[in-house]
Amino acid sequence: MHIDCRHIAARRVRALLAPLATLALATMTAGAAAAYPERPVTLVVTYPPGGTVDLVARLIGPRLSAELGQPVVIENKGGAGGMIGGAYVAKAAPDGYTLMMDASNHGQNPALHSKMTFDTLRDFAPVSLLLRVPNILVVTPSYPVKTVGELIKLAQPKDGPFVYYASSGPGSAQHLAGELFNFLAHTHMQHVAYKGGGPAMVDVMSGQVPVMFASMGSSWAHVRSGKLRAVASGGTQRSASAPDLPTIAESGVPGYASYEWNGVFAPAGTPPAIVEQVSKALAQVLKDPQVSKQLTDMGAEIVASTPAELDTFRRAEIDKWKKVVDEAHLQLD
């Protein structure tokens, strides 16, 4: 039998070189991550300019730039409840130079839409959950509701008279906060959708619609001025900005929690070393006294999570809202 020694030798050479090639590739990858960033980083905001998500991005942008040593460019790609910006970032190069600041819609859209151009869990690498702002239950000051129990009593009859609540639009965080309340409190409030949070809040202040589960960031100034009455907070604990305001959960609806939150994500496949670097930089930004004060003043709870913690959080959010959406028979496609 003929033995081809040349083939045996070639196999031995390949076997010897394979570990060296793997080591060289790992060294190159580590070197690239260590050099990051070498040029400006784009932070895509999934909502239009002027909203809460945009304000947070522009607040942290300059500090993040200082931490990374490169300019951070804010780019707004709003529309479709965050899905336009999401689709853009999902297709971006996974090199750390395109990041996304998303909001609670990240966990709600998969429940509301059966047809999306991206997969929320598959296409994004979690970086950091920055903050949470509780939705608070507010009513028209003249409305005869001062406690959660009083609202439940009014809203439990199936055949009316109905209690109506306002939101910034179908599928919005305020809409789902109301449906979560219906689900857990066994009430039958009716949803009234507006084209934006501003018009909705104006009508609640005037008494056109008596109830709203509004973001604390946008409604608290109206509570302080007496234009709205705050009944309870949707947070898991009382807000540091309003320690006398009870939570909805402690007021008779166990398990209730409704937040509008902001998190940073990268395209899936972004090197873990880069994801970790950005996550740690964001944690440092949120420790800045001026940044933390401005965020706390708007009712935010600063989180600054690790990538793994954000992944756990978003999966829990998706599961929770799927149950609520199924119970309320909501579908926005």
Side-chain angles (χ1 to χ4, degrees):
M1 181 175 67
H2 175 70
I3 298 176
D4 191 337
C5 295
R6 289 175 300 175
H7 287 175
I8 294 174
R11 286 199 300 270
R12 287 177 176 174
V13 169
R14 286 196 296 270
L16 288 171
L17 290 180
L20 295 176
T22 302
L23 178 61
L25 180 61
T27 302
M28 290 171 62
T29 303
Y36 171 86
E38 297 180 303
R39 53 187 170 85
V41 174
T42 298
L43 180 60
V44 175
V45 177
T46 59
Y47 280 85
T52 303
V53 187
D54 180 64
L55 292 174
V56 172
R58 295 184 187 280
L59 174 62
I60 70 171
R63 276 76 169 188
L64 182 59
S65 174
E67 288 292 327
L68 295 177
Q70 289 287 346
V72 172
V73 180
I74 309 297
E75 186 173 340
N76 296 86
K77 289 191 177 294
M83 290 193 291
I84 290 177
Y88 176 83
V89 175
K91 296 176 182 177
D95 54 11
Y97 290 98
T98 302
L99 304 172
M100 174 177 74
M101 179 173 287
D102 212 357
S104 357
N105 56 269
H106 189 89
Q108 295 166 345
N109 282 338
L112 289 163
H113 301 274
S114 60
K115 299 176 183 177
M116 295 174 62
T117 59
F118 56 86
D119 186 299
T120 302
L121 294 176
R122 182 193 64 206
D123 293 338
F124 301 105
V127 178
S128 179
L129 174 60
L130 305 180
L131 55 89
R132 305 186 304 177
V133 181
N135 290 104
I136 60 173
L137 170 57
V138 295
V139 299
T140 306
S142 60
Y143 194 59
V145 165
K146 293 184 179 179
T147 68
V148 170
E150 289 173 348
L151 178 61
I152 292 174
K153 186 175 181 180
L154 283 177
Q156 278 188 331
K158 289 184 178 181
D159 302 322
F162 294 117
V163 172
Y164 293 90
Y165 75 96
S167 87
S168 60
S172 65
Q174 301 91 38
H175 178 194
L176 292 186
E179 293 302 334
L180 178 63
F181 188 92
N182 276 338
F183 176 53
L184 294 176
H186 308 292
T187 52
H188 299 89
M189 291 186 298
Q190 301 295 302
H191 175 227
V192 180
Y194 285 80
K195 293 182 178 180
M201 201 169 297
V202 167
D203 271 13
V204 175
M205 287 188 285
S206 67
Q208 297 297 313
V209 179
V211 177
M212 187 174 181
F213 293 82
S215 168
M216 188 171 189
S218 60
S219 62
W220 196 242
H222 299 305
V223 172
R224 286 175 171 167
S225 69
K227 294 178 181 178
L228 290 171
R229 178 192 299 136
V231 176
S233 164
T236 55
Q237 57 189 15
R238 296 192 181 198
S239 171
S241 301
D244 294 331
L245 185 67
T247 67
I248 293 174
E250 73 179 272
S251 301
V253 190
Y256 187 94
S258 176
Y259 288 90
E260 295 187 28
W261 53 268
N262 295 162
V264 173
F265 298 83
T270 301
I274 290 178
V275 170
E276 188 68 25
Q277 182 180 343
V278 176
S279 183
K280 289 181 178 178
L282 288 166
Q284 288 301 119
V285 169
L286 294 172
K287 288 179 182 178
D288 182 293
Q290 291 185 340
V291 172
S292 60
K293 183 179 186 306
Q294 289 186 62
L295 293 175
T296 302
D297 285 347
M298 60 179 275
E301 300 173 9
I302 296 173
V303 181
S305 80
T306 65
E309 288 168 341
L310 175 53
D311 190 39
T312 299
F313 175 81
R314 70 170 178 167
R315 289 175 185 274
E317 284 283 285
I318 290 172
D319 288 345
K320 177 174 86 173
W321 294 117
K322 280 183 176 178
K323 292 176 184 176
V324 174
V325 167
D326 288 346
E327 178 70 18
H329 305 292
L330 298 176
Q331 196 68 52
L332 299 186
D333 289 328

